[in-house]
Amino acid sequence: MVDLDVSDFFKHKLARIKPDYVFRQSQVALSQAIEKTITQQSVLIAEAGTGTGKTWAYLVPAFMSFRKTLISTGTKALQDQLFRKDVPMLKKALGLPIQVALLKGRSNYLCHFHYNRLVNDDYTQLNSKEEVEQLKEIKLFFQKTTTGDKSDCAKVPDKAPIWLKVTSTNESCLNQDCPYINECFLAQARTKAREADVVIVNHALFFADMALRKEAQIDLLPIADTVIFDEAHQLPEIATQFLGSQIALSSIEEVVKDIELYTAMYAKRVAEWSKLCGRVTHDLMDLRLTARPIDSMPGKKAILERIPDNERLIAVLEKVVQGIDELHKTLEAVNEQHLDLKEVYNRLNAYYGRLLQWIYPEKFDQDNQDSYVRWVEYGKHQLRLYRAPLSVKNVANFKREDQAWILTSATLSVNHQFTHFQAQLGLFDAECQTWESPFQYAEKAVMYVPDHLPDVKVPHYEQDFVRLLIPFIQRTPGGVLILSTTLRSVESLGVLLQEALLREGIHKRIFRQGETAHRVLIDQFQQEKNGILIGSASFWEGVDFPGDLVTLVAIDKLPFAPPDDPVLEARIEECRKKGGNPFMDIQLPMAAIALKQGAGRLIRTEQDSGVLIIGDGRLVNQRYSKLLWGSLPNFYRTRHFDTALNFWRENR
Ligand code: SF4
C-alpha cells in the first residue's frame, strides 16, 4: 500500500477533482473494509446500498495497494464506464503510475483472419443489402481502430449478425497458426492485460476463463492478487451459464457446409466429402424431427428426462456423432494442408467434443455424474442442446489462497442475511457486511401495497391493477416505470393501459419492451420525459432513471422465477431429493433479491422522490412476507390509497 490514507483521500483529494462529490462516512468505512480485505487476502461480501459510492470505495484501495487487481463488472457498459470515466479521473487524483487495461470476451474484437476472409470473398457470405452497408462501416473502422473493440464502431449495432462473421470464437480461432497473430487485436488486449496493474473485465469473461482453466486449456486472464466483483448478485446466474455449455445445431450445419466448400477447393480428391458431409446433414435433420414434440412443451424447452421418447433422441444424437466422427477423422488427415481446412477442423473438433460431453456425461463428470442438468430448446429455425451445473458452489474453489476477493452490490442479502448468497457460491467463510444507503427513503418515498386488489391469480387482476394506477399516473410529476414478470403481461398490461388512457383522456406515451431494441427504447422513454415504460426481466435492474425521469414505479406481481426454467426446475427437484424446501431455500430468496432490484429503480439520487406501488398482496399477507418486505429499503409504508396518492401534494 502507498503511504496515503483512504480516509484522507475521500476527505481532501476527491472533492478537488469531482466538484459534485459529497463526503460520506459510510463510503470511507466501506473503502477501509476493502483495504483490509486486500491486505489480509480474505473474502468480503459487501452490500452497499444505492448512493454509498461503492465504485470509488473499491477503486481507491485497489489502486493504492499496488497489487495486481482484476475488477469484474456485470455488464460491458459498466466496464466501459469504469475504464473511460472513473479510472482516468482517479489516476489523475492519485498521481500514481498505474497501468490499467480493459479486457473483454473475444467476440468483442474484430478478427483479422475472419475479416479478411469475408472481404476477400467478394461479399458472397453477406445476406442482405444492410450487411453490405455494415461491412463498409466495418472496413472504415478497421482502418482506423487501434483496439478492434467493436463497441467503438457505433454505426453497426452491437447485436448485428455481421459481427459473427468478422469476429472469432474459441472454436474458429487459429491461435499460434494464425498468419495475423502479431497484429491480432485480441492477442494485443490480452498482452496489455498481462502487463497492467489493474484489469477491468466482466463476469462472463471471468467465468469463461475459469471454465477453460478447469478443462486445463488456456488462461484468458492473468493471475491476480485481488479480484473485485461489482454487481456481484449476478454471479450465480452468470457462473451457471458459463460453467455449462450449449451447442446450436445450426453451428454444426454451418461448419459442415464450410467443410464441403473448403475441401472442394483444397482437398478434392482425398475423400468423398459430399457423402461424408451429406450423412451428417441428414442425421441433423432427423434429430430435428425427433425433437419436434418439444415444440409443444411449455417454453418450447424440456429437460432431457421429460422429453417424450428421449431414448430415441439420444440414439439419433449418437448417429450424428458417428457421422461427425468419420468426417472428423478424414479431415484430420488433411487439416494441415491449408489454413481454411485447419479452421474448419478446429471448429468441428470443438463441437464434436461438446456433443460427446452432452451425450455421455458419465465419462466426463466421473466425480459427480448427477451434477449437471441437460435440456433441449426447440426454436423455429434452431435446435439447441444445453448443459448447466446444478450448483455453482465450487466457485469458491477458484479463489487462490493468496488472493483477496471482494464481492459488492446493492442487493446481496435477504432480510439482512447473506446465507443464501454465500451458499450459492460456496463462500461460507466470507466476512459479510452491509453499508446502508445514505438516502432518506422514509421521507422521500412511499411504498403502497393496496388492500383492495384481488389475488394475482384471478382473471381480472390486471384490469383492477391498471384501474388502480390511473390516478397515480395522472398525478405523478414524472415518468412511470411498470415492472412485470413476463413478456406476456407486458403485452396485456400495455393494451389495458392504452385503453384506460384513451378513456380518461390522458396523453402519455406508452413504451413497451420488445417494440424496439432495449437501448433505443430507454433513450426514447428518457427523451419523452413523462412517458410510461413497461418492461419485464431486463428492466428490473441496470436501468437508471434519476430525477423526474421516473417518479412512479409499479410492480404487478412478485418476481418469482417461472418454474419452467430448466435449471431452476432441476435445482428444485434436487433440493426436494435432499429433503430441503425449494420454495424457502431457492425461490423465495431469488424473488427477494429481484424485488429489491426492481424497487431500487425509484430512488437513484439523494434528490429523488416518488411512489412505489406493489399490487401483489403476497408481499404482506403470507407467512413468508417478512422475508420479502424486510429486504426492501426503509420506504414509508402504507396500505391506504389516499395516503399514497397525496404523497406528491405533501412533498413537492
Ligand atoms: S489469432 Fe484468432 S482472433 Fe486473432 S486474428 Fe487470428 S483467428 Fe483472429
Side-chain angles (χ1 to χ4, degrees):
M1 296 265 176
V2 291
D3 193 19
L4 176 62
D5 186 61
V6 162
S7 161
D8 276 352
F9 178 84
F10 283 104
K11 263 190 200 143
H12 307 298
K13 284 216 162 193
L14 198 48
R16 265 185 250 147
I17 53 156
K18 251 181 144 228
D20 58 341
Y21 175 69
V22 180
F23 176 80
R24 290 200 180 100
Q25 194 50 49
S26 59
Q27 185 180 34
V28 176
L30 170 61
S31 198
Q32 285 169 332
I34 292 172
E35 186 182 38
K36 190 171 134 208
T37 307
I38 294 173
T39 314
Q40 294 179 342
Q41 298 175 328
S42 52
V43 182
L44 174 69
I45 295 178
E47 184 173 68
T50 314
T52 316
K54 66 178 161 48
T55 307
W56 284 71
Y58 64 69
L59 282 178
V60 173
F63 274 51
M64 283 166 45
S65 73
F66 274 105
R67 297 181 192 203
K68 181 100 182 176
T69 303
L70 278 187
I71 297 175
S72 182
T73 65
T75 59
K76 285 186 273 177
L78 184 54
Q79 224 185 328
D80 284 331
Q81 187 202 306
L82 276 182
F83 186 70
R84 298 196 168 129
K85 209 173 127 215
D86 300 307
V87 164
M89 229 193 273
L90 180 60
K91 273 177 75 173
K92 199 170 139 204
L94 285 170
L96 296 172
I98 290 168
Q99 293 289 335
V100 184
L102 178 72
L103 185 62
K104 298 181 180 174
R106 67 161 64 242
S107 62
N108 293 282
Y109 297 96
L110 203 56
C111 160
H112 287 72
F113 178 78
H114 288 94
Y115 166 79
N116 280 308
R117 192 156 79 172
L118 186 70
V119 169
N120 296 334
D121 248 0
D122 286 337
Y123 294 66
T124 49
Q125 304 282 338
L126 299 182
N127 292 332
S128 61
K129 266 195 194 150
E130 194 187 13
E131 286 205 338
V132 173
E133 289 308 312
Q134 287 172 339
L135 186 58
K136 281 185 196 157
E137 288 300 332
I138 293 174
K139 274 183 175 173
L140 292 174
F141 169 64
F142 183 73
Q143 280 156 19
K144 57 176 200 267
T145 180
T146 53
T147 63
D149 183 341
K150 70 178 181 151
S151 68
D152 294 333
C153 182
K155 289 198 177 148
V156 181
D158 190 50
K159 297 244 155 57
I162 192 163
W163 285 119
L164 298 175
K165 296 173 184 164
V166 292
T167 53
S168 67
T169 61
N170 280 338
E171 296 81 29
S172 69
C173 174
L174 290 161
N175 295 305
Q176 292 309 316
D177 294 319
C178 179
Y180 303 100
I181 189 72
N182 293 328
E183 302 113 89
C184 173
F185 292 125
L186 175 67
Q188 284 173 0
R190 285 185 182 165
T191 305
K192 275 193 194 148
R194 265 194 300 278
E195 290 163 359
D197 304 299
V198 176
V199 188
I200 301 173
V201 300
N202 56 57
H203 301 338
L205 181 60
F206 180 84
F207 286 111
D209 179 60
M210 290 300 137
L212 287 177
R213 274 173 209 243
K214 215 172 118 207
E215 289 169 20
Q217 293 188 12
I218 48 161
D219 302 340
L220 305 178
L221 299 177
I223 303 274
D225 303 308
T226 305
V227 185
I228 299 171
F229 299 97
D230 199 345
E231 299 300 331
H233 64 281
Q234 296 177 1
L235 290 176
E237 197 182 325
I238 298 179
T240 301
Q241 199 183 330
F242 281 85
L243 298 177
S245 63
Q246 61 159 296
I247 318 156
L249 240 58
S250 62
S251 310
I252 307 178
E253 281 160 358
E254 230 165 75
V255 72
V256 171
K257 239 195 267 165
D258 288 346
I259 290 170
E260 266 205 276
L261 176 74
Y262 295 122
T263 50
M265 286 162 77
Y266 310 117
K268 203 171 180 175
R269 291 179 216 290
V270 178
E272 286 188 74
W273 297 108
S274 294
K275 209 167 145 196
L276 287 169
C277 293
R279 176 183 166 188
V280 178
T281 310
H282 173 271
D283 291 343
L284 286 171
M285 273 164 60
D286 195 12
L287 180 64
R288 204 179 149 72
L289 284 175
T290 313
R292 198 175 229 164
I294 303 168
D295 192 25
S296 50
M297 295 178 82
K300 297 183 187 297
K301 56 190 166 190
I303 289 180
L304 180 62
E305 291 72 18
R306 302 225 193 291
I307 299 173
D309 204 1
N310 56 23
E311 281 172 14
R312 161 126 179 86
L313 186 92
I314 290 287
V316 179
L317 260 169
E318 283 175 333
K319 253 178 85 193
V320 171
V321 164
Q322 282 160 15
I324 292 180
D325 182 46
E326 212 178 320
L327 182 59
H328 181 257
K329 278 187 194 133
T330 320
L331 197 58
E332 191 173 16
V334 296
N335 86 89
E336 298 289 347
Q337 287 180 16
H338 195 277
L339 273 181
D340 285 333
L341 291 175
K342 189 166 191 83
E343 188 268 327
V344 285
Y345 171 74
N346 287 349
R347 256 195 289 160
L348 186 72
N349 192 35
Y351 298 138
Y352 179 48
R354 247 184 267 167
L355 273 177
L356 287 176
Q357 204 171 28
W358 202 91
I359 305 172
Y360 310 110
E362 66 283 0
K363 291 190 185 153
F364 294 86
D365 308 311
Q366 280 163 349
D367 303 341
N368 194 353
Q369 292 175 17
D370 297 320
S371 59
Y372 282 83
V373 51
R374 291 174 288 166
W375 75 99
V376 182
E377 285 189 19
Y378 191 96
K380 209 169 174 191
H381 309 288
Q382 187 66 287
L383 190 74
R384 283 178 196 271
L385 310 179
Y386 290 87
R387 181 173 167 275
L390 276 180
S391 154
V392 290
K393 53 174 181 276
N394 65 343
V395 163
N397 301 337
F398 297 145
K399 181 192 169 298
R400 296 160 57 97
E401 285 269 300
D402 56 355
Q403 225 174 26
W405 273 23
I406 292 107
L407 302 93
T408 185
S409 162
T411 53
L412 295 172
S413 70
V414 175
N415 197 19
H416 311 289
Q417 299 294 319
F418 290 88
T419 39
H420 174 67
F421 183 69
Q422 285 179 278
Q424 280 181 304
L425 298 177
L427 295 168
F428 300 104
D429 297 331
E431 181 172 342
C432 304
Q433 223 177 313
T434 298
W435 283 267
E436 296 292 350
S437 165
F439 300 162
Q440 303 299 314
Y441 285 99
E443 286 147 36
K444 295 284 193 164
V446 60
M447 179 173 86
Y448 169 43
V449 184
D451 55 6
H452 62 281
L453 278 186
D455 187 281
V456 292
K457 290 201 186 82
V458 306
H460 55 88
Y461 171 77
E462 284 188 345
Q463 273 107 315
D464 292 1
F465 180 67
V466 166
R467 197 171 310 126
L468 171 100
L469 293 187
I470 292 300
F472 289 91
I473 290 175
Q474 276 172 317
R475 193 168 292 182
T476 191
V480 180
L481 176 64
I482 300 178
L483 296 173
S484 189
T485 49
T486 60
L487 283 175
R488 199 196 50 74
S489 334
V490 168
E491 207 42 49
S492 50
L493 285 172
V495 172
L496 288 168
L497 197 57
Q498 190 69 67
E499 288 168 5
L501 295 186
L502 269 175
R503 225 174 18 244
E504 303 291 331
I506 302 170
H507 302 288
K508 292 208 178 197
R509 191 171 157 199
I510 297 177
F511 299 84
R512 256 178 285 191
Q513 180 180 357
E515 274 175 7
T516 176
H518 184 84
R519 190 65 254 167
V520 178
L521 194 69
I522 288 175
D523 288 347
Q524 289 175 349
F525 171 69
Q526 286 180 328
Q527 277 158 19
E528 182 76 10
K529 296 240 167 13
N530 67 347
I532 302 169
L533 176 60
I534 313 177
S536 69
S538 56
F539 288 84
W540 285 71
E541 64 173 293
V543 290
D544 208 14
F545 301 117
D548 279 357
L549 285 174
V550 163
T551 49
L552 171 63
V553 171
I555 292 173
D556 66 337
K557 290 177 193 150
L558 295 178
F560 288 110
D564 65 351
D565 170 68
V567 180
L568 182 61
E569 188 185 342
R571 284 179 177 164
I572 287 175
E573 190 72 39
E574 175 81 356
C575 177
R576 254 190 221 121
K577 264 196 234 159
K578 289 185 175 163
N581 178 340
F583 181 73
M584 295 305 286
D585 298 346
I586 303 176
Q587 290 161 288
L588 192 61
M590 280 171 73
I593 299 280
L595 184 66
K596 202 155 141 178
Q597 280 288 346
R601 298 308 99 203
L602 182 63
I603 305 292
R604 307 303 298 165
T605 74
E606 205 137 21
Q607 289 74 41
D608 292 1
S609 61
V611 173
L612 166 69
I613 300 176
I614 300 180
D616 192 335
R618 290 175 295 176
L619 182 67
V620 289
N621 62 20
Q622 298 294 315
R623 64 190 159 77
Y624 56 76
S625 298
K626 182 159 191 299
L627 273 174
L628 294 169
W629 60 256
S631 302
L632 295 174
N634 185 28
F635 298 111
Y636 179 81
R637 293 168 186 160
T638 184
R639 301 213 67 189
H640 300 296
F641 178 84
D642 289 339
T643 311
L645 191 61
N646 287 332
F647 170 81
W648 287 294
R649 235 177 232 159
E650 286 156 20
N651 284 275
R652 291 180 81 99

